[in-house]
Amino acid sequence: MRKWLVVLALFIAFVFALTACGDSASSGNGEDSDSSDRLTQLQEDGTVVVGFANEKPYAYEEDGELKGVAVDVATAVLNELGIENVEGHLADFGQLIPGLEAKKYDIITASMAINAERCENVAFGEPEVKYGEGLIVEAGNPLNLHSYKDIADNPDVTVAIMSGATEIEFVQIEGVDPNQIQNAPDIPATFSAVESGRAQATTGTEMTIKMALESLDSDKLEFVEDFEQPNIEGVPSYGAAAFRLDDNELREAYNEKLAELKESDLYGELLEANYFNATSNAVESDITTEMVCSGEVYE
């Protein structure tokens, strides 16, 4: 009888130990509790890992230093949250959301355009900047391309677009056949495609491709000054930082400090310092991420 009591006691102790281990894994420092105290953890660590895309003037690396309007805005906001060290990592634009979901980054920001599809996968902060579209063609514009509809009307035209960019959807809405679209990893690759003749045009956000072309100083390419902006949902685009769907506390704290920044003179100064216009590229105070996600802002 005594032996059975000893065995029973050992069995109960074993079950209790398993239960305790299980509780520790789910509520101690495990993944399930990360979202509720991530802000506190980042503030205590003093470091946040932010994913950026290499897209000037939003985010880019120059002389070993990360620069751009998205970098400057995120740094200003996060510093106000008490997080002094913003550890930036450059990535291909199309890898930002997967990297965020895989917890490679705490936040991603490249003034990423808010749209309905992305709103299902990430939680955007409030808009930080707005911008339109641009088109680059062969020098002299031999095919007379001035809009996305012009590309759609000429099946011989191939347009190179950075993977993951909203322009892939925009051109298709305007009638461009998917077979006319050539994906590229970044802006320089889209330029190379047009220069080599593998594509006849490339498109992207106006400021990005215009500045990139100026830096390239190529006599083979031309920015279309009279490009007709598409009258579609998503134009103009509103760019924002993005968070994991369950990181509500971090996102809300970020939004609070962002709102304060947008009311200050520093906001316009950051835009101007990064080649934007403090008036035309600033986000109106009554525009919210919810309105952009739902499409209400375009109605």
Side-chain angles (χ1 to χ4, degrees), residues 134-136 151 157-163 165 167-168 171 180-195 198-204 209:
L135 186 68
I136 286 178
I151 296 174
V157 173
T158 295
V159 56
I161 304 177
M162 184 172 64
S163 296
E167 287 76 19
I168 293 176
V171 298
Q180 292 178 261
I181 302 171
Q182 182 181 113
N183 286 276
D186 51 32
I187 297 297
T190 66
F191 285 5
S192 177
V194 180
E195 286 184 311
R198 289 180 284 111
Q200 289 69 51
T202 181
T203 183
I209 60 174

Side-chain angles (χ1 to χ4, degrees), residues 56-68:
K56 192 173 182 177
Y58 304 99
Y60 59 101
E61 187 173 13
E62 187 173 272
D63 299 326
E65 181 182 356
L66 281 174
K67 299 181 178 181

Side-chain angles (χ1 to χ4, degrees), residues 94-233:
Q95 293 303 309
L96 287 178
I97 290 180
L100 179 68
E101 293 175 325
K103 301 191 176 181
K104 184 177 180 180
Y105 315 117
D106 298 306
I107 303 170
I108 55 173
T109 183
S111 297
M112 178 180 285
I114 303 167
N115 64 33
E117 182 179 357
R118 289 174 181 163
C119 290
E120 294 180 0
N121 297 305
V122 297
F124 280 103
E126 292 301 330
E128 301 173 359
V129 65
K130 70 174 182 179
Y131 46 83
E133 302 303 309
L135 186 68
I136 286 178
V137 297
E138 300 171 75
N141 199 0
L143 298 178
N144 201 29
L145 303 175
H146 299 275
S147 67
Y148 292 156
K149 289 188 181 297
D150 288 341
I151 296 174
D153 290 341
N154 188 341
D156 293 330
V157 173
T158 295
V159 56
I161 304 177
M162 184 172 64
S163 296
T166 52
E167 287 76 19
I168 293 176
E169 178 184 3
F170 290 167
V171 298
Q172 291 183 78
I173 292 174
E174 291 288 89
V176 175
D177 190 287
N179 292 326
Q180 292 178 261
I181 302 171
Q182 182 181 113
N183 286 276
D186 51 32
I187 297 297
T190 66
F191 285 5
S192 177
V194 180
E195 286 184 311
S196 67
R198 289 180 284 111
Q200 289 69 51
T202 181
T203 183
T205 58
E206 179 180 5
M207 190 68 70
T208 298
I209 60 174
K210 189 172 186 177
M211 288 190 63
L213 182 59
E214 289 177 0
S215 297
L216 181 63
D217 192 26
S218 171
D219 59 2
K220 296 181 179 180
L221 302 176
E222 176 180 314
F223 181 82
V224 180
E225 295 290 351
D226 59 349
F227 174 71
E228 299 173 21
Q229 293 290 330
N231 184 23
I232 58 177
E233 182 173 320

